[in-house]
Amino acid sequence: MKKAFTKIGIVMAALLLLAAPQLVHAKDLSGNLEIFSWWAGDEGPALEALLDIYKQQHPKVEVINATVTGGSGVNAKAVLKTRMLGGEPPDSFQVHAGQELIGTWVKADRMEDLTPLFKEMGWMDVFPKGLVKLIGTDKGIWSVPVNIHRSNVMWYIPANLKKWGVSAPTTWDEFFAIAPKLKAAGVTPLALAQNWTANHLWESVALASLGPDKWDALWSGKLGFDSPDVVKAWELFGKILKYTNADASSLSWQQATDMVIDGRAAFNIMGDWAAGYMTTTKKLVPGKGYGWVASPGTTGEFLFLADSFGLPKGAPHRDNAIAWLKVLGSRQGSDAFNPLKGSISARTDSDLSKYNDYLKSAAADFGKDRVVGSLAHGVAANETFMGGFASIMEMFLKTKDASMAAKACAQLAKKTGI
Ligand code: GAL
């Protein structure tokens, strides 16, 4: 009997301990919380779902959802840099796992180590080890991942393909075989948007051309950017560009997706936030309203990226920011956010029944495919390399000169220490 009481006592004490931090926060936290990201407009609903959970838990905190529009953070990252350098960090900001975080903000000693939070929340066991490596160094863990996105996906509308008598290509040769037919029917074979989406397309094409081993070798410095293999990848990319729309540079990624939805274009290669857009905003049913395949030549490969949020040194409302990180790293937060966002959970214990058919297939692929890191979305290279790469891309879009682009990348890699 006594033993049983002792047991109950221990269990109750443990429960109280578990509940305690949340209760304290719910009562005590007040003031502001500024969250900085590029998830504005159509990209907003998933973030709103997370913020709703936060507001329920911390009703006295005034949440400032500071967004700067522009896909892949093209504008937000510039604003963030100015603020960070000017000593005005937000409380927490969106940053990609990998070199965008480590080679930029951690290297500059601007982030707080979140190892104690990971330990407190038991996150060492729920986030995949490979992912924790990408957000960590030997000195600490520097952000909390909220999702896993796939970059190498080709999107289409099944009914349109049927109408045009084509099927989704699994290799670039298959694409080149059907593209003239589409063009003759007045359909753009591949929809493209502003310049960062060219970087996005490039990584899927380069992965197809190089294969995953050489892709990895590129980023570990074992394969030169000016090697014949890489020149070949640029040439293939140039050939593909001939089948894209002329007004690409003036379109947002959503507008390129719209071209596919409206039947003005057959395909688009975009990360699976496009699935979020088509499902959440456009109300299309995955598998019926829209279809997908791995981008040509990359079946069995998962070009991966993860959005995460960190705690900058000098965050004005540090406690509120830590409570925010707790929400976004939680199972509840993750499973509210990701089904709307078009990404899978970064946690290994997510409730897949909440995810649609596209996301279930992405989760299955992530479990069995060869996983490699995205360049366009921060995994493979730091911000300095990315900035230089964007300029090389601008030049290539004008000149289509593959060996010049390859040489310029080699110089850039040397300069930025790859
Ligand atoms: C990526 C980001 C995604 C999505 C996309 C388009 O860089 O990781 O979550 O926002 O840009 O803006």
Side-chain angles (χ1 to χ4, degrees), residues 38-39 43 71-72 94 96 149 196 253 273 305 307 341 377:
W38 59 87
W39 290 332
E43 294 216 65
S72 90
Q94 178 184 2
H96 288 122
H149 266 310
W196 74 263
W253 70 263
W273 43 91
L305 61 121
D307 292 299
K341 183 68 174 63
H377 306 279

Side-chain angles (χ1 to χ4, degrees), residues 214-290:
K214 285 184 181 162
W215 175 261
D216 280 346
L218 205 54
W219 305 110
S220 61
K222 291 188 188 119
L223 177 70
F225 279 82
D226 49 1
S227 71
D229 282 327
V230 185
V231 176
K232 225 170 106 194
W234 278 103
E235 282 166 357
L236 175 61
F237 179 65
K239 201 171 156 198
I240 293 163
L241 286 180
K242 291 189 185 135
Y243 296 102
T244 58
N245 41 307
D247 63 348
S249 66
S250 66
L251 303 185
S252 67
W253 70 263
Q254 290 96 330
Q255 286 172 317
T257 311
D258 289 345
M259 286 180 70
V260 176
I261 297 174
D262 302 344
R264 287 175 284 139
F267 305 105
N268 174 231
I269 289 174
M270 190 36 63
D272 45 14
W273 43 91
Y277 175 63
M278 287 188 278
T279 311
T280 308
T281 307
K282 295 288 169 174
K283 310 284 178 232
L284 296 176
V285 177
K288 296 192 181 79
Y290 67 90

Side-chain angles (χ1 to χ4, degrees), residues 58-359:
H58 309 289
K60 287 194 203 148
V61 175
E62 182 68 35
V63 178
I64 301 158
N65 183 8
T67 56
V68 179
T69 323
S72 90
V74 274
N75 306 319
K77 285 182 202 169
V79 174
L80 178 69
K81 203 170 277 168
T82 312
R83 287 190 55 173
M84 292 286 279
L85 296 180
E88 282 177 32
D91 293 312
S92 182
F93 64 84
Q94 178 184 2
V95 61
H96 288 122
Q99 281 304 305
E100 183 179 314
L101 168 73
I102 304 297
T104 313
W105 299 116
V106 176
K107 197 172 155 204
D109 195 23
R110 299 284 175 155
M111 307 304 289
E112 279 207 38
D113 175 17
L114 301 173
T115 308
L117 183 66
F118 270 67
K119 290 200 172 135
E120 180 193 337
M121 303 304 284
W123 289 343
M124 300 307 260
D125 302 323
V126 294
F127 291 118
K129 296 228 162 12
L131 181 56
V132 175
K133 252 191 172 168
L134 279 174
I135 51 172
T137 59
D138 54 355
K139 296 207 169 59
I141 302 177
W142 307 101
S143 72
V144 180
V146 69
N147 66 4
I148 286 170
H149 266 310
R150 186 177 192 174
S151 164
N152 60 322
V153 195
M154 180 179 243
W155 307 97
Y156 59 90
I157 304 296
N160 288 345
L161 295 198
K162 207 170 154 199
K163 195 170 72 194
W164 300 322
V166 300
S167 38
T170 56
T171 64
W172 284 110
D173 281 343
E174 280 176 33
F175 174 80
F176 293 132
I178 59 171
K181 186 176 167 185
L182 291 164
K183 241 183 156 175
V187 177
T188 299
L190 189 68
L192 193 67
Q194 62 189 119
N195 286 13
W196 74 263
T197 73
N199 301 341
H200 186 102
L201 174 62
W202 185 86
E203 67 179 6
S204 276
V205 173
L207 178 61
S209 184
L210 294 169
D213 288 339
K214 285 184 181 162
W215 175 261
D216 280 346
L218 205 54
W219 305 110
S220 61
K222 291 188 188 119
L223 177 70
F225 279 82
D226 49 1
S227 71
D229 282 327
V230 185
V231 176
K232 225 170 106 194
W234 278 103
E235 282 166 357
L236 175 61
F237 179 65
K239 201 171 156 198
I240 293 163
L241 286 180
K242 291 189 185 135
Y243 296 102
T244 58
N245 41 307
D247 63 348
S249 66
S250 66
L251 303 185
S252 67
W253 70 263
Q254 290 96 330
Q255 286 172 317
T257 311
D258 289 345
M259 286 180 70
V260 176
I261 297 174
D262 302 344
R264 287 175 284 139
F267 305 105
N268 174 231
I269 289 174
M270 190 36 63
D272 45 14
W273 43 91
Y277 175 63
M278 287 188 278
T279 311
T280 308
T281 307
K282 295 288 169 174
K283 310 284 178 232
L284 296 176
V285 177
K288 296 192 181 79
Y290 67 90
W292 63 89
V293 282
S295 65
T298 67
T299 309
E301 288 147 29
F302 195 112
L303 193 48
F304 127 98
L305 61 121
D307 292 299
S308 72
F309 282 78
L311 179 63
K313 284 187 173 166
H317 311 94
R318 189 176 177 278
D319 287 350
N320 294 352
I322 290 171
W324 155 249
L325 295 175
K326 286 183 180 176
V327 170
L328 75 90
S330 70
R331 186 174 188 237
Q332 184 199 4
S334 192
D335 285 344
F337 174 88
N338 286 299
L340 296 170
K341 183 68 174 63
S343 40
I344 54 176
S345 176
R347 294 177 59 114
T348 49
D349 62 352
S350 69
D351 177 0
L352 268 186
S353 71
K354 297 196 165 120
Y355 291 70
N356 67 32
D357 285 352
Y358 166 71
L359 292 168

